[in-house]
Amino acid sequence: MTAFSESADPHRQHERCVTIDLGSRSYPVILSDAWDSGQPQNLLQQHVKDRPVAIVSNDTVWPLYGETLLQAVKKAGPSHCSWHVLPDGENHKTPAQWLAILDHLANNGLTRDGVLLALGGGVVCDMTGFAAASWMRGIPFIQVPTTLLAQVDASVGGKTGINHLAGKNLIGAFHQPVAVLVNTRVLTTLPEREFRSGLAEAVKYGLIQSAPFVDWMLRNRRNLLHREPGVLNQLVQQCCQFKAHIVREDETEQGRRAVLNLGHTFGHAIENLGHYRTLLHGEAVAIGMVMAATLSEHLGLARPGLGKKVAGIMQALGLPSDFSSLPAGIDIEADEYTPEALIQRMRLDKKVSHGRHRLILLKELGQADMVDGVTEADLRTVLQAFCA
Ligand code: NAD
Ligand code: GLY
């Protein structure tokens, strides 16, 4: 377990580094305000010098940060540099768009000594990572995450993939990046809902393994919600440390890493019901974490009141805690979000056997565990309260 310490000076402006310790495949997560100097530039030189490079981004992020990254990459001396811009959105995390990335690599002669860079949120990071995992049986890639969610979670740990019509992230591979370059300054342009969605994945680490970290986030929520740079850097560094610890222990999710899926089986079902266009990933996971805590209570694994406590944490961070507290302007068809519809989607979430579900549940704040054999009758009872 990684201890949470508040001692780090939030005003330190110099670079921060977290190492993802995986033996010969270890890599650094560098937090820095620049790509063209310091450690980020050193890493670019190490990995792209004299090699063909392709940057993958999307049509929202590329106009904002593409040119800056391109200049930093060119400064590092690649033999050739091209870029591929995807349409923005989770509904484009598809086999067709993944294939379009591979077509780009083929058309630009990216050989096995090539390197990919992902510039974007979790969607671009996951898709680029999967393209890197599959192109010529695996080439190196660098993550340059631009959403809070991608900086605290998606860019670190090597899970890559795309969606299948039947469900989220059903096609994928474990493939670790060679470096992660985090620049929290890019978060200034992130829309408010997207930013809060990232806070959901951040608070997840506290819920599963550190109640003091949840407490720290709540005490600092004003600064966090105002995106104060020092506090943001502290948040991202701490989350990457939590994730580094879990990934080192269980890289390919044979056991402990599964706790990172707290709220995700519910969340994926919620996202799928909205065709990935209604609730954002972090919003769906926020509701999913409240569902998981409520189910823990229902099964007698947690003290009464845990569900309400977790709901209060989500509300304090500006996140939805159920279907009646969705962000302004988001409407759902209540008769589509039924316990039956959610359970049907949950069956596809890679963790079901003989009609019984394997879920990550909470024993208390800061303590999550994998629980096997949850029945659909129990799920139905708990989901009724959310769907009424
Ligand atoms: P996203 O990638 O769709 O980004 C959210 C939105 O913000 C998009 O419209 C994007 O274009 C825009 N954006 C990105 N950076 C911006 C910036 N700096 N300024 C302005 N706009 C910006 O969504 P996300 O929340 O980053 O990621 C969600 C995805 O991540 C899901 O597909 C999920 O499955 C995946 N994920 C993967 C892991 C993993 O371990 N691999 C973990 C968590 C989530
Ligand atoms: N986001 C879950 C994981 O990386 O395992």
Side-chain angles (χ1 to χ4, degrees):
M1 181 97 14
T2 321
F4 167 62
S5 147
E6 289 193 38
S7 59
D9 174 1
H11 301 294
R12 271 178 12 177
Q13 286 304 307
H14 54 79
E15 292 171 354
R16 296 157 183 254
C17 177
V18 176
T19 301
I20 310 300
D21 191 357
L22 291 168
S24 61
R25 288 171 298 106
S26 297
Y27 56 93
V29 179
I30 303 291
L31 279 86
S32 165
D33 282 356
W35 294 315
D36 62 353
S37 60
Q39 265 303 90
Q41 181 60 206
N42 291 344
L43 282 163
L44 286 175
Q45 301 213 354
Q46 181 185 333
H47 294 290
V48 315
K49 193 166 172 48
D50 298 330
R51 291 160 178 247
V53 175
I55 305 174
V56 180
S57 189
N58 74 20
D59 54 15
T60 299
V61 178
W62 183 254
L64 291 170
Y65 303 109
E67 186 57 33
T68 312
L69 183 65
L70 192 59
Q71 291 314 318
V73 170
K74 283 186 174 164
K75 189 175 169 186
S79 59
H80 174 72
C81 186
S82 64
W83 55 95
H84 179 72
V85 179
L86 297 161
D88 188 2
E90 179 75 38
N91 53 327
H92 295 293
K93 194 177 172 183
T94 56
Q97 291 300 334
W98 163 73
L99 208 52
I101 301 174
L102 302 190
D103 287 345
H104 175 88
L105 304 185
N107 294 337
N108 282 275
L110 214 94
T111 44
R112 283 201 86 175
D113 63 343
V115 182
L116 289 189
L117 268 83
L119 174 70
V123 170
V124 170
C125 289
D126 278 11
M127 292 181 75
T128 309
F130 187 50
S134 39
W135 184 244
M136 300 200 175
R137 298 198 184 88
I139 61 167
F141 77 113
I142 296 174
Q143 299 278 34
V144 188
T146 62
T147 60
L148 180 60
L149 188 142
Q151 296 186 347
V152 299
D153 191 0
S155 65
V156 175
K159 273 192 186 176
T160 72
I162 53 176
N163 300 333
H164 185 277
L165 266 185
K168 205 171 146 64
N169 297 336
L170 290 181
I171 309 167
F174 284 97
H175 186 54
Q176 300 291 343
V178 293
V180 181
L181 308 182
V182 173
N183 179 344
T184 53
R185 281 205 308 181
V186 302
L187 301 180
T188 49
T189 51
L190 199 59
E192 189 59 29
R193 277 181 66 200
E194 300 291 354
F195 182 79
R196 293 180 187 202
S197 180
L199 291 179
E201 293 282 14
V203 79
K204 177 190 76 179
Y205 293 107
L207 294 179
I208 62 184
Q209 61 173 3
S210 172
F213 181 63
V214 175
D215 196 44
W216 177 86
M217 281 189 70
L218 292 178
R219 276 188 283 115
N220 285 282
R221 68 179 191 279
R222 271 212 189 85
N223 286 339
L224 284 171
L225 288 166
H226 283 119
R227 309 184 197 188
E228 198 278 311
V231 179
L232 268 189
N233 278 325
Q234 220 180 339
L235 177 87
V236 176
Q237 181 181 20
Q238 183 60 56
C239 290
C240 291
Q241 270 160 2
F242 283 134
K243 188 148 188 189
H245 186 80
I246 292 177
V247 169
R248 183 180 59 203
E249 206 178 299
D250 176 22
E251 183 183 359
T252 55
E253 202 170 302
Q254 306 302 309
R256 182 67 188 160
R257 182 166 178 169
V259 293
L260 292 175
N261 297 324
L262 175 68
H264 281 60
T265 302
F266 295 104
H268 288 169
I270 295 168
E271 279 183 284
N272 186 282
L273 270 182
H275 308 286
Y276 305 109
R277 281 190 293 261
T278 310
L279 284 186
L280 302 178
H281 179 70
E283 293 169 343
V285 167
I287 298 173
M289 290 192 283
V290 181
M291 289 174 167
T294 310
L295 179 61
S296 306
E297 254 187 76
H298 170 77
L299 295 175
L301 299 170
R303 290 212 190 116
L306 188 70
K308 277 220 165 76
K309 211 182 217 177
V310 174
I313 292 167
M314 297 310 150
Q315 286 154 14
L317 295 172
L319 286 158
S321 56
D322 57 26
F323 296 127
S324 63
S325 56
L326 301 180
I330 301 301
D331 284 324
I332 58 166
E333 297 292 336
D335 53 354
E336 286 175 16
Y337 286 69
T338 62
E340 255 356 281
L342 286 165
I343 291 169
Q344 194 205 337
R345 264 70 179 182
M346 289 173 75
R347 287 189 197 125
L348 274 166
D349 207 49
K350 308 186 215 77
K351 293 134 200 143
V352 184
S353 133
H354 305 295
R356 287 174 171 253
H357 294 247
R358 169 179 287 184
L359 291 168
I360 307 305
L361 299 181
L362 279 186
K363 291 194 166 156
E364 55 183 300
L365 283 195
Q367 207 185 330
D369 256 324
M370 189 191 301
V371 176
D372 270 317
V374 178
T375 67
E376 295 196 345
D378 283 321
L379 284 177
R380 215 164 275 121
T381 306
V382 167
L383 292 174
Q384 290 287 2
F386 285 83
C387 297

